[in-house]
Amino acid sequence: MEAFPVVDLSQINGEEREDTMEKINDACENWGFFELVNHGISHELMDTVEKLTKEHYKKCMEQRFKEMVASKGLEAVQSEIHDLDWESTFFLRHLPVSNISQIPDLDEDYRKVMKEFAVELEKLAEQLLDLLCENLGLEKGYLKKAFYGSKGPNFGTKVSNYPPCPKPDLIKGLRAHTDAGGIILLFQDDKVSGLQLLKDGQWIDVPPMHHSIVINLGDQLEVITNGKYKSVMHRVIAQPDGTRMSIASFYNPGDDAFIYPAPALLEKETEKISAYPKFVFDDYMKLYSGLKFQAKEPRFEAMKSMESTVNLDPVATV
């Protein structure tokens, strides 16, 4: 079995640049995932985010989760559950407008540190998009512009905890899916595992690593690259022991962004044919919300049938 791809981002500006870029490209083409170390986000900040996230779960979320489990009788289930996940979550929106100040039950210290963390993740996401542009032979800034829409990208964070599960063979922490959006940056627990991706028909563990950021590609990057890079099915396996922390930040296109294969990439292909539809991102999200835990291909086909209603303007680049 190939080793899970780990990329040392500190080597991007040194003698190892070419090898590092190739490692990123190979991960995007063949895995849809890679793990970043030395990514530039301070370990002290990450430690604070982890500490406050775990404290917040204990203080505000744990009891609610136990009550939900009791109300649904989940501890006594005898057959596999297909319509819910063994997770406790809340969502933070950063862009285009932050909602952090409106989220109840967050201590001020926690609000402040999550805002700071989001700023760092946004910078990292945009740096990675430019590295992808370079690997793809696209103009610098192309992907950021493709995501921009009229109000800028959507950027938000799903904060999850996966408590110990008495029936991990019957309830998933999170059912298998691909991510709908653009590029996803995950700060995950380094002690309790559970995240798996599907590669060549096998479920493979995404290894927990201290202070790493796991990157994965969403459906929109598959469309823009005309399938050169692909979004990949992944899931979370519930664990019988330990609570797993997961902080996933989604750098997605703006609601009204037009998404379609980059013309510069189509030009390079022999047949110059787009294998993917053209659509408005918000239309895709409306479809995805009801079909998240199904295969992505029927979603793309459904969007193709709506193509005639979409008028496209070329992506402006600077």
Side-chain angles (χ1 to χ4, degrees), residues 31-95:
W31 290 80
F33 271 77
F34 55 97
E35 201 145 4
L36 273 187
V37 295
N38 297 321
H39 38 65
I41 299 177
S42 102
H43 291 177
E44 184 183 2
L45 175 59
M46 295 178 80
D47 289 343
T48 306
V49 167
E50 179 172 3
K51 176 176 176 286
L52 295 181
T53 297
K54 290 181 174 180
E55 285 176 2
H56 177 263
Y57 172 72
K58 281 281 182 194
K59 179 179 165 187
C60 302
M61 310 279 291
E62 187 174 41
Q63 187 56 36
R64 284 181 222 163
F65 183 78
K66 287 177 177 174
E67 288 168 8
M68 182 277 292
V69 167
S71 72
K72 294 181 183 294
L74 293 179
E75 290 188 330
V77 295
Q78 299 300 317
S79 57
E80 191 167 356
I81 301 289
H82 296 287
D83 60 352
L84 60 79
D85 303 301
W86 188 269
E87 64 173 357
S88 168
T89 67
F90 65 95
F91 295 86
L92 302 173
R93 189 173 65 247
H94 314 301
L95 295 175

Side-chain angles (χ1 to χ4, degrees), residues 45 100 107-118:
L45 175 59
I100 291 184
D107 292 340
E108 278 312 306
D109 284 353
Y110 191 28
R111 287 185 212 275
K112 184 181 171 189
V113 82
M114 290 306 280
K115 281 184 182 177
E116 190 182 338
F117 191 42

Side-chain angles (χ1 to χ4, degrees), residues 6 23 73 110 151 164 176 179 183 195 234-235 253 269 282 293:
V6 177
K23 196 175 281 188
Y110 191 28
K151 298 176 183 172
D179 289 325
I183 191 164
L195 179 61
H234 52 285
R235 67 185 185 183
E269 296 187 10
D282 193 48
F293 299 109

Side-chain angles (χ1 to χ4, degrees), residues 185-212:
L185 304 92
L186 169 68
F187 174 27
Q188 67 167 347
D189 205 291
D190 68 316
K191 295 181 180 65
V192 182
S193 63
L195 179 61
Q196 297 182 327
L197 64 89
L198 188 63
K199 178 170 166 53
D200 303 326
Q202 302 285 320
W203 286 104
I204 295 172
D205 291 331
V206 177
M209 288 176 64
H210 199 36
H211 294 140
S212 73

Side-chain angles (χ1 to χ4, degrees), residues 5-279:
V6 177
V7 174
D8 183 344
L9 202 59
S10 68
Q11 298 182 334
I12 205 69
N13 295 315
E15 292 176 2
E16 303 296 322
R17 180 181 174 81
E18 192 176 330
D19 287 349
T20 304
M21 291 296 285
E22 179 49 42
K23 196 175 281 188
I24 292 171
N25 190 58
D26 181 73
C28 291
E29 285 189 357
N30 298 307
W31 290 80
F33 271 77
F34 55 97
E35 201 145 4
L36 273 187
V37 295
N38 297 321
H39 38 65
I41 299 177
S42 102
H43 291 177
E44 184 183 2
L45 175 59
M46 295 178 80
D47 289 343
T48 306
V49 167
E50 179 172 3
K51 176 176 176 286
L52 295 181
T53 297
K54 290 181 174 180
E55 285 176 2
H56 177 263
Y57 172 72
K58 281 281 182 194
K59 179 179 165 187
C60 302
M61 310 279 291
E62 187 174 41
Q63 187 56 36
R64 284 181 222 163
F65 183 78
K66 287 177 177 174
E67 288 168 8
M68 182 277 292
V69 167
S71 72
K72 294 181 183 294
L74 293 179
E75 290 188 330
V77 295
Q78 299 300 317
S79 57
E80 191 167 356
I81 301 289
H82 296 287
D83 60 352
L84 60 79
D85 303 301
W86 188 269
E87 64 173 357
S88 168
T89 67
F90 65 95
F91 295 86
L92 302 173
R93 189 173 65 247
H94 314 301
L95 295 175
V97 179
S98 171
N99 72 345
I100 291 184
S101 59
Q102 282 92 55
I103 302 293
D105 303 330
L106 298 187
D107 292 340
E108 278 312 306
D109 284 353
Y110 191 28
R111 287 185 212 275
K112 184 181 171 189
V113 82
M114 290 306 280
K115 281 184 182 177
E116 190 182 338
F117 191 42
V119 168
E120 295 300 313
L121 288 168
E122 182 189 348
K123 287 191 287 194
L124 180 57
E126 292 179 352
Q127 179 189 1
L128 289 168
L129 288 177
D130 275 344
L131 294 177
L132 266 53
C133 283
E134 186 177 334
N135 271 335
L136 291 161
L138 295 171
E139 270 186 84
K140 185 176 182 180
Y142 181 90
L143 290 172
K144 185 179 174 184
K145 288 284 185 181
F147 282 18
Y148 203 79
S150 63
K151 298 176 183 172
N154 281 304
F155 185 46
T157 297
K158 177 187 177 187
V159 181
S160 307
N161 282 275
Y162 297 92
C165 179
K167 304 272 185 168
D169 52 330
L170 299 179
I171 309 174
K172 294 284 183 296
L174 180 59
R175 289 160 285 165
H177 64 286
T178 65
D179 289 325
I183 191 164
I184 298 87
L185 304 92
L186 169 68
F187 174 27
Q188 67 167 347
D189 205 291
D190 68 316
K191 295 181 180 65
V192 182
S193 63
L195 179 61
Q196 297 182 327
L197 64 89
L198 188 63
K199 178 170 166 53
D200 303 326
Q202 302 285 320
W203 286 104
I204 295 172
D205 291 331
V206 177
M209 288 176 64
H210 199 36
H211 294 140
S212 73
I213 299 284
V214 176
I215 306 299
N216 74 284
L217 310 183
D219 295 348
Q220 308 311 302
L221 282 176
E222 178 167 338
V223 173
I224 294 170
T225 65
N226 204 38
K228 182 175 172 66
Y229 294 166
K230 286 191 165 57
S231 59
V232 168
M233 291 289 270
H234 52 285
R235 67 185 185 183
V236 176
I237 297 298
Q239 302 292 340
D241 301 301
T243 296
R244 175 180 176 266
M245 178 198 76
S246 163
I247 302 173
S249 296
F250 299 80
Y251 189 102
N252 291 348
D255 289 349
D256 62 355
F258 288 123
I259 303 299
Y260 52 95
L265 294 182
L266 293 182
E267 279 300 310
K268 294 177 185 177
E269 296 187 10
T270 334
E271 297 185 358
K272 300 183 173 27
I273 293 172
S274 165
Y276 290 83
K278 305 170 183 177
F279 52 82

